[in-house]
Amino acid sequence: MNDAVLSPPPIGHAGGPKVLLEVFGCQMNKLDAELMVSALKRAGYDFTDRDEEAAAVLLVTCAIRDQAEHRVHSHLGELSVLKRSHPDLALGVLGCQAQRQGQELLSRWPALDFVAGTRDFPKVARMLDEVRADRTRLIALEGDPETVSEERDVTVRPHRGRAFVNVMRGCDKRCTYCVVPNTRGVEVSRPMADVIAEIDQLVDDGVVEVTLLGQTVNAWGRREDRSLGELLHRLEELPGLHRVRFITSHPEEMDDRLVDAMAACRKSGLFLHLPPQSGSDSVLRRMARGYTVERYDEILVSLRERIPGIEIGADIIVGFPGETDEDFEGTRRLMERSRFSQAYVFRYSPRPGTPAFGRMDDDVPDAVKRERLAALNALQNRLMLERHRGLIGSRHEVLVEGASRKDPRRLFGRNLAFDRLVFEGDPDVEGRFIEVEVTDVTALTLSGHAVSEVRSAPASPAPAAV
Ligand code: 5AD
Ligand code: SF4
């Protein structure tokens, strides 16, 4: 969950009014921002990453925790000041926070020109035109979840070899802490044919790895009698596509069919993001997650039996209402035995409009939340370091994502298990597969050197584990 300024390649309408697009929140937001970039380009806009030269600043926002929304408010404070010296600057707030706060944002920030919700991004270019021409203030929060446009110029994307593909919007679960069903609406899966057609085009344009996005992506297609496993099998047969990832999976929706498909489909790799959220049955019940700790453990056992080498990624919330020391100890133990290859731990943040809000007291003191967060992060660091130490000397097939952010002279990429690798090598290999030998590790990263370029075609499929 990092912020990014999306600066697409300067093709198209160089010289048009410049837009600065700032994206907060999850991958789904980043992808929505890409769709907006396509639409804004078609409407004649150009892009910048400097607010002094921008004709418009658009914030694509997140609402998942209070902190995310606070940051946008303080940013709007700064932009309001900027607007005093640049009165023509147009300001828009889009996405999840816009959906949640709507009119309240316009009332609080007189400098703000328009607000568009999570299903209204296809209208953003038109709204921006209108705001700039007439200096009116606009709000759109009514987009229809069933018909939201996924229209996309596949050539507009920040990475050469990788792309995200929306396969499902919204969420029908009712996890009591979560604002997403409010901000992104009901679950709607995209039809198989649309998904395949989009991926076909992306692959023709040089994409070798796709990440399928959905709030409960492993429930994809259930209304149309389809399953994610079926989609994985279809993509397995698509020449030119080498890796298929999918996020985020819900433990309640895991079934043997999907595990079978993952075991059989080599491209779907060795990583699954499967957030447990808590290791206490009573907390899981109050979160309305629909599974027990025992069931979660069973799923991991079956995944690891069927898919040797698979790594699991976790999200965990500490300090959920009523979480006792004993509940927390359950989460600590779950983390210890599950040996996640990565885990994000969050402090519970009450979100207005969620089932827990108002019904369950946010009774775990912030100091205790912080202590629990620090304890789990320390544990996770130790576990990751132990795992990484065991990988010294091993070789990995790495898809090169670009220069390392910390050290631009080195390259950054990921292996099939989604581990982060930083290594010495020829800089001109973005989007290619390189074999890397690990020589040194930290808790977060494996470092090493390139041994050879692997291939430009996927290795022959391994026999399905049975
Ligand atoms: N407070 C804290 N963390 C939350 N998450 C979702 N809602 C909240 C909340 N209200 C976490 C969950 C989810 C991740 C994306 O954010 O762990 O998996
Ligand atoms: Fe993504 Fe959820 Fe944040 Fe919306 S609220 S941007 S869906 S993480």
Side-chain angles (χ1 to χ4, degrees), residues 1 64-65 177-178 277 315 317 346-349 351:
M1 299 241 167
I64 197 109
R65 281 169 290 271
Y177 51 81
C178 188
Q277 308 297 0
D315 293 345
I317 297 176
F346 306 102
R347 279 177 290 143
Y348 172 67
S349 165
R351 310 306 295 128

Side-chain angles (χ1 to χ4, degrees), residues 1 60 158 235 269 350 389 391 416:
M1 299 241 167
V60 185
L235 296 176
R389 285 203 176 119
L391 293 173
L416 266 183

Side-chain angles (χ1 to χ4, degrees), residues 223-429:
R223 302 251 159 76
E224 296 83 37
D225 231 5
R226 300 274 195 197
S227 70
L228 184 65
E230 196 185 344
L231 181 55
L232 295 183
H233 275 289
R234 286 287 298 275
L235 296 176
E236 192 71 7
E237 281 149 30
L238 193 69
L241 179 65
H242 299 174
R243 283 188 184 174
V244 179
R245 303 189 184 285
F246 49 94
I247 48 178
T248 291
S249 293
H250 194 298
E252 198 185 9
E253 300 292 337
M254 280 310 290
D255 62 15
D256 289 343
R257 274 196 313 172
L258 179 57
V259 181
D260 288 346
M262 289 176 68
C265 296
R266 174 72 202 195
K267 293 178 186 175
S268 65
L270 294 175
F271 180 77
L272 185 70
H273 185 229
L274 193 72
Q277 308 297 0
S278 170
S280 149
D281 281 340
S282 80
V283 172
L284 286 174
R285 210 173 313 115
R286 276 176 290 123
M287 287 177 163
R289 290 287 289 173
Y291 52 88
T292 59
V293 176
E294 190 184 357
R295 170 69 188 138
Y296 187 83
D297 286 342
E298 264 170 35
I299 297 171
L300 292 204
V301 167
S302 122
L303 280 163
R304 286 176 166 148
E305 261 173 30
R306 298 293 321 276
I307 310 168
I310 192 164
E311 296 297 336
I312 311 295
D315 293 345
I316 285 171
I317 297 176
V318 291
F320 187 76
E323 185 187 70
T324 61
D325 286 343
E326 201 186 336
D327 293 323
F328 173 68
E329 178 56 21
T331 303
R332 205 196 56 71
R333 281 201 308 266
L334 174 117
M335 199 161 192
E336 180 123 43
R337 68 178 174 273
S338 303
R339 307 191 82 83
F340 299 115
S341 67
Q342 49 172 261
Y344 295 98
V345 185
F346 306 102
R347 279 177 290 143
Y348 172 67
S349 165
R351 310 306 295 128
T354 57
F357 194 80
R359 269 208 293 129
M360 295 182 208
D361 218 10
D362 180 22
D363 56 359
V364 178
D366 201 47
V368 175
K369 287 183 186 168
R370 283 175 195 276
E371 241 170 61
R372 290 177 182 172
L373 175 93
L376 292 190
N377 279 338
L379 168 61
Q380 180 60 19
N381 270 347
R382 173 169 70 73
L383 294 171
M384 289 193 301
L385 192 57
E386 277 172 24
R387 171 172 172 262
H388 285 177
R389 285 203 176 119
L391 293 173
I392 292 179
S394 59
R395 291 186 173 191
H396 301 256
E397 190 176 303
V398 173
L399 174 57
V400 183
E401 297 192 5
S404 154
R405 262 201 248 168
K406 268 208 200 134
D407 177 0
R409 288 163 307 173
R410 303 174 84 199
L411 295 166
F412 174 82
R414 293 187 190 261
N415 61 7
L416 266 183
F418 210 46
D419 293 313
R420 305 159 51 85
L421 286 104
V422 173
F423 51 98
E424 318 276 346
D426 178 348
D428 194 30
V429 289

